[in-house]
């Protein structure tokens, strides 16, 4: 090996390490009420500790998704509460910018999912206090003022994957898909291995669908 070859060998990037060095653009659409979106978002947070991700968080709505669908009365009864959270996040984004979206989602989701609260007034007031928004901001949870951009965000995500899906929707470097639906959210090497597989699937133009029936519910930790 010549000195030039030696230098090249020393500076070459190990293919096994390369995925950790490149920044991947990620768009993530969520409904704050969805436990499956919550699980997936915790996984993305874990991956971000080990991979360079540029994540943009977007609102979508299970209420809007199902507004013209034949669903059970029990499921439909959940939509008004879910819509309150969705409208709140949409208003926060419009009035305070993208930077508030993830902190507000985290504050709401922590109370809704691992916290198990179904009292939307309590969830909203606690979340607003946590992120530093005034208590009067809660009025946007019952306002249609920002429904237009909320619905636009929703249909932007759904339009990338089709109607026969739910939340979350993720786009990796512009390639969107529903899910992954996971429980529990993996940690460490398992989280990274799953992520690298998702990125590989997203980068293959002919990949469209991979699915099996769920055998467990959301496992929060």
């Amino acid at each position: 090996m010549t000195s030039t070859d030696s230098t090249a060998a020393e500076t070459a990037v190990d293919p096994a390490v390369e995925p950790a060095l490149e920044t991947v653009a990620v768009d993530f659409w969520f409904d704050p009420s969805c436990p499956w979106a919550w699980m997936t978002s915790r996984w993305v947070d874990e991956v971000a500790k080990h991979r360079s991700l540029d994540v943009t968080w977007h609102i979508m709505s299970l209420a809007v998704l199902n507004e013209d669908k034949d669903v059970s009365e029990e499921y439909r009864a959940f939509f008004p509460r879910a819509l309150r959270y969705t409208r709140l996040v949409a208003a926060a984004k419009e009035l305070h910018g993208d930077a508030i979206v993830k902190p507000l989602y985290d504050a709401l989701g922590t109370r809704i999912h691992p916290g198990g609260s179904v009292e939307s007034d309590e969830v909203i007031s606690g979340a607003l206090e946590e992120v530093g928004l005034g208590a009067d901001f809660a009025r946007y949870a019952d306002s249609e003022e920002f429904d237009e951009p909320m619905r636009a965000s929703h249909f932007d995500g759904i339009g990338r994957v089709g109607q026969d899906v739910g939340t979350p929707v993720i786009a990796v470097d512009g390639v969107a898909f529903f899910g992954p639906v996971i429980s529990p959210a993996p940690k460490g090497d398992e989280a990274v291995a799953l992520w690298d597989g998702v990125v590989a699937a997203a980068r293959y133009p002919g990949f469209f669908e991979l699915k099996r029936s769920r055998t467990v519910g959301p496992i929060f930790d």
Side-chain angles (χ1 to χ4, degrees), residues 101-161:
V101 173
K102 181 57 161 48
L104 182 55
Y105 177 33
D106 289 346
L108 291 168
T110 298
R111 290 163 172 80
I112 296 167
H113 302 299
S117 178
V118 296
E119 299 296 331
S120 58
D121 286 339
E122 293 180 6
V123 169
I124 289 169
S125 63
L128 291 177
E129 181 179 2
E130 181 176 327
V131 300
L133 294 175
D136 62 339
F137 200 85
R139 70 184 184 274
Y140 290 110
D142 300 302
S143 170
E144 298 179 5
E145 183 175 350
F146 297 104
D147 275 12
E148 184 175 347
M150 179 269 286
R151 292 175 74 90
S153 176
H154 170 86
F155 287 113
D156 179 28
I158 289 296
R160 302 181 188 216
V161 291

Side-chain angles (χ1 to χ4, degrees), residues 4 22 25 58 67 76 89 96 109 119 131 147 181 196:
T4 301
E22 62 178 318
H58 306 272
E67 60 188 357
R76 192 168 296 281
V89 176
H96 295 281
E119 299 296 331
V131 300
D147 275 12
V181 175
D196 290 345

Side-chain angles (χ1 to χ4, degrees), residues 172-193:
V172 177
D173 283 338
V175 179
F177 47 85
F178 164 57
V181 175
I182 51 178
S183 181
K187 300 287 194 301
D189 291 343
E190 284 187 330
V192 173

Side-chain angles (χ1 to χ4, degrees), residues 8 12 17-18 24 32 37 44 46 49 53 56 70 83 94 101 109 119 125 156 173 190-191 195-196 200 202 207 215:
V17 177
E18 191 172 13
V24 177
V44 170
E46 176 71 12
K49 300 174 184 177
L53 307 183
T56 303
D70 183 15
L83 190 57
E94 294 302 311
V101 173
E119 299 296 331
S125 63
D156 179 28
D173 283 338
E190 284 187 330
W195 176 257
D196 290 345
F207 176 80
T215 58

Side-chain angles (χ1 to χ4, degrees), residues 158-173:
I158 289 296
R160 302 181 188 216
V161 291
Q163 290 293 325
D164 297 327
V165 298
T167 174
V169 170
I170 292 183
V172 177
D173 283 338

